[in-house]
Amino acid sequence: MIMCFYMQGTSQCYSSLKSLSNKFRGMLCHCGSDNKYNRLDEKLEKKMIEVKRSSSGQSNFKSVDSIILRFPQFKAGLKNIKGVFEHHDEDSNGIIDREELKKCLEKLQLSLKEQEIDELFDFCDIDGSEGIQFNEFIVLLCLIYLLVIPSSSPDMIEKVGSPELKATFDTIVDAFLFLDKNGDGKLNKKDMLKSLNESYPREKSPAHVTKNRFKEMDWDKNGKVSFREFLFSLIRWVGIDTDEEITESNEIGTNEEITDRE
């Protein structure tokens, strides 16, 4: 789907924005109803508030469009995690199971209780498949970076990823905080639509574009967007999920072709 955006009176088309499927949205809504998910979401809210305060409200972004223009950078940074995912997927079945996750955490030298590991796993396993897929693994690593790794040792995340991984996660957090105008750790529709472009009138985003983006992020339709909802949406928007689907489709097609030849 090609979505058009208007920046400073110029029409620009960006092809990588895609609507989330109802099925995918329903998965997250189901997970979000459990208390343990609410608890982790609350921890993320507090973390976002903490980072917002420490930054004194400063941001590298000026509009939704400036975030969109970073999509290629986000995609490149997140795709670098693919090799890390495949390394920890020891049986090469396309998912990280609980035992493989434990080994990943051990490599980070993080001592977590069994319950804490299970909470992280379940929080990111949004389809309940008992396996962390690649897009879910991205969210998992970001949560580990934000909530688990000591603030005094942020570079520890580089042990399981590329040197650019920390910078990518920091930029994603910056994008979220830019949209979080009232600094409460979640995105509020009314405040976001009202104040998004107030400080930068020369770089405004059309209201209908902003509303559509908010609808895609607000999976549980409660008028607020958590960081987890935002991150899963961003991964979808930059095309990570689509690339995975295309790869799987090509592999299936190749296998069918080989079978037909035989």
Side-chain angles (χ1 to χ4, degrees), residues 107-153:
K107 184 174 182 179
L108 275 172
Q109 297 180 344
L110 295 172
S111 300
L112 298 180
K113 297 178 181 178
E114 192 81 16
Q115 179 183 355
E116 293 174 322
I117 296 175
D118 286 339
E119 282 185 350
L120 277 173
F121 187 95
D122 294 335
F123 190 69
C124 297
D125 181 23
I126 60 170
D127 60 359
S129 64
E130 282 299 309
I132 301 296
Q133 301 171 49
F134 180 50
N135 65 323
E136 296 168 335
F137 185 69
I138 293 172
V139 176
L140 177 69
L141 285 186
C142 192
L143 258 63
I144 290 173
Y145 171 58
L146 292 172
L147 300 180
V148 181
I149 291 179
S151 57
S152 59
S153 307

Side-chain angles (χ1 to χ4, degrees), residues 155-172:
D155 294 338
M156 284 179 65
I157 193 65
E158 295 179 5
K159 291 183 179 181
V160 293
S162 66
E164 295 81 18
L165 185 55
K166 177 181 177 295
T168 299
F169 285 158
D170 285 341
T171 305
I172 291 173

Side-chain angles (χ1 to χ4, degrees), residues 55-214:
S55 67
S56 302
Q58 299 297 316
S59 176
N60 293 316
F61 297 103
K62 297 181 179 181
S63 70
V64 169
D65 292 312
S66 62
I67 295 175
I68 292 167
L69 291 176
R70 292 286 190 95
F71 279 9
Q73 177 184 326
F74 289 146
K75 184 174 183 177
L78 296 177
K79 288 198 73 170
N80 284 335
I81 303 175
K82 185 66 175 179
V84 181
F85 176 82
E86 292 174 344
H87 174 73
H88 291 287
D89 178 20
E90 296 180 349
D91 53 8
S92 301
N93 65 345
I95 61 172
I96 302 291
D97 60 33
R98 293 180 190 271
E99 290 302 316
E100 290 168 336
L101 175 58
K102 290 178 183 178
K103 293 180 181 179
C104 175
L105 295 174
E106 287 174 0
K107 184 174 182 179
L108 275 172
Q109 297 180 344
L110 295 172
S111 300
L112 298 180
K113 297 178 181 178
E114 192 81 16
Q115 179 183 355
E116 293 174 322
I117 296 175
D118 286 339
E119 282 185 350
L120 277 173
F121 187 95
D122 294 335
F123 190 69
C124 297
D125 181 23
I126 60 170
D127 60 359
S129 64
E130 282 299 309
I132 301 296
Q133 301 171 49
F134 180 50
N135 65 323
E136 296 168 335
F137 185 69
I138 293 172
V139 176
L140 177 69
L141 285 186
C142 192
L143 258 63
I144 290 173
Y145 171 58
L146 292 172
L147 300 180
V148 181
I149 291 179
S151 57
S152 59
S153 307
D155 294 338
M156 284 179 65
I157 193 65
E158 295 179 5
K159 291 183 179 181
V160 293
S162 66
E164 295 81 18
L165 185 55
K166 177 181 177 295
T168 299
F169 285 158
D170 285 341
T171 305
I172 291 173
V173 169
D174 188 22
F176 179 85
L177 295 179
F178 166 74
L179 299 174
D180 179 18
K181 290 300 178 180
N182 62 6
D184 65 353
K186 50 186 175 291
L187 306 185
N188 179 285
K189 180 179 179 181
K190 183 178 179 180
D191 291 342
M192 192 177 86
L193 295 178
K194 180 180 178 180
S195 63
L196 185 58
N197 299 298
E198 285 181 351
S199 301
Y200 300 92
R202 295 182 179 180
E203 198 173 325
K204 288 188 176 181
S205 304
H208 73 278
V209 171
T210 305
K211 289 178 180 178
N212 287 339
R213 298 291 73 76
F214 191 89

Side-chain angles (χ1 to χ4, degrees), residues 1-18 64-65 68-69 71 204-206 208-210 212-213 216 237:
M1 179 185 298
I2 297 178
M3 304 296 295
C4 294
F5 298 88
Y6 298 84
M7 297 177 57
Q8 301 177 8
T10 302
S11 173
Q12 296 189 0
C13 292
Y14 198 93
S15 61
S16 67
L17 278 181
K18 306 165 186 71
V64 169
D65 292 312
I68 292 167
L69 291 176
F71 279 9
K204 288 188 176 181
S205 304
H208 73 278
V209 171
T210 305
N212 287 339
R213 298 291 73 76
E216 291 176 358
W237 290 344

Side-chain angles (χ1 to χ4, degrees), residues 205-250:
S205 304
H208 73 278
V209 171
T210 305
K211 289 178 180 178
N212 287 339
R213 298 291 73 76
F214 191 89
K215 286 181 180 179
E216 291 176 358
M217 292 187 290
D218 184 17
W219 293 357
D220 55 9
K221 304 298 182 184
N222 68 348
K224 299 175 183 178
V225 173
S226 67
F227 181 75
R228 179 173 59 133
E229 288 176 310
F230 172 78
L231 184 51
F232 270 115
S233 298
L234 183 66
I235 291 169
R236 186 81 175 179
W237 290 344
V238 302
I240 297 293
D241 283 2
T242 303
D243 286 350
E244 293 297 298
E245 291 166 3
I246 291 174
T247 299
E248 290 177 3
S249 177
N250 289 340

